[in-house]
Amino acid sequence: MKQLSGVRLATFSSRAAALLIDFLLASLLFLTVMAALILTAKYIPAVRDWDASHDVHIELNFFDNWYSIAYLAMFFGLSLYWGHGRTIGKRLMKLRVISLHHDHLSLWTCIERALGYGASALELGFGFVQYFIHPNHQTVHDRIAETIVVCEDRTRARSEVNP
């Protein structure tokens, strides 16, 4: 924690904007993959001969089905891990997620934080509102994964060789 003294914590609005950008990208990727699968399905004999009376219903809804939760957890977790603490939304908003206990984010920490979004959304989003209550502006998913979100130092971000 001593190493973090003087580090500027991310604002709620920049964090919300980054989450919205990332969620829109996750939805766009989901729709693109589903459209590609549907378009290529007509070339697979087993699918082509499927009885037309069978309906297939696939939707991306975080609270209604298991595959949406798995997809979003993997999307957010892997993008945070591969981005070294920065998803595309966080990169655009110049934010970075850092661990309170380790020098880098492990894959498990990133997945754990992504799953924690569900806990933050419970009870009408009170886990996100806790940003305003906690002294380090940590939401529920930050506390679950033991992370904080900081503003990226512009000079450091430019000088990094491997962002």
Side-chain angles (χ1 to χ4, degrees):
M1 287 299 288
K2 289 179 184 178
Q3 294 173 343
L4 297 176
S5 64
V7 173
R8 201 168 55 126
L9 298 173
T11 64
F12 185 80
S13 59
S14 62
R15 290 180 65 167
L19 180 61
L20 179 64
I21 292 167
D22 288 333
F23 191 78
L24 290 174
L25 288 172
S27 300
L28 181 65
L29 179 64
F30 182 83
L31 290 174
T32 303
V33 170
M34 286 297 116
L37 287 174
I38 290 168
L39 290 174
T40 58
K42 64 182 177 183
Y43 299 109
I44 301 170
V47 177
R48 186 178 53 220
D49 298 334
W50 185 265
D51 184 9
S53 66
H54 291 90
D55 290 332
V56 176
H57 181 73
I58 298 175
E59 63 183 39
L60 181 62
N61 188 335
F62 190 69
F63 295 107
D64 281 349
N65 48 54
W66 66 269
Y67 57 84
S68 293
I69 294 170
Y71 169 73
L72 290 172
M74 294 308 293
F75 178 86
F76 282 105
L78 290 175
S79 61
L80 188 66
Y81 180 71
W82 288 333
H84 302 284
R86 296 184 298 176
T87 61
I88 293 174
K90 285 179 180 46
R91 190 175 298 266
L92 290 173
M93 299 306 295
K94 297 182 178 21
L95 304 177
R96 180 182 292 269
V97 176
I98 57 175
S99 173
L100 292 175
H101 300 289
H102 305 289
D103 292 334
H104 70 283
L105 293 172
S106 68
L107 178 59
W108 173 247
T109 301
C110 295
I111 299 293
E112 187 177 39
R113 188 174 191 279
L115 288 169
Y117 279 127
S120 290
L122 292 175
E123 297 179 0
L124 301 174
F126 184 68
F128 292 110
V129 174
Q130 290 183 23
Y131 169 92
F132 300 104
I133 298 169
H134 198 275
N136 286 332
H137 297 297
Q138 287 180 293
T139 57
V140 168
H141 57 275
D142 289 320
R143 290 199 312 276
I144 288 171
E146 299 176 330
T147 59
I148 59 171
V149 183
V150 298
C151 294
E152 191 77 304
D153 181 52
R154 292 174 194 223
T155 56
R156 190 178 124 219
R158 288 186 195 134
S159 66
E160 285 182 348
V161 177
N162 188 9

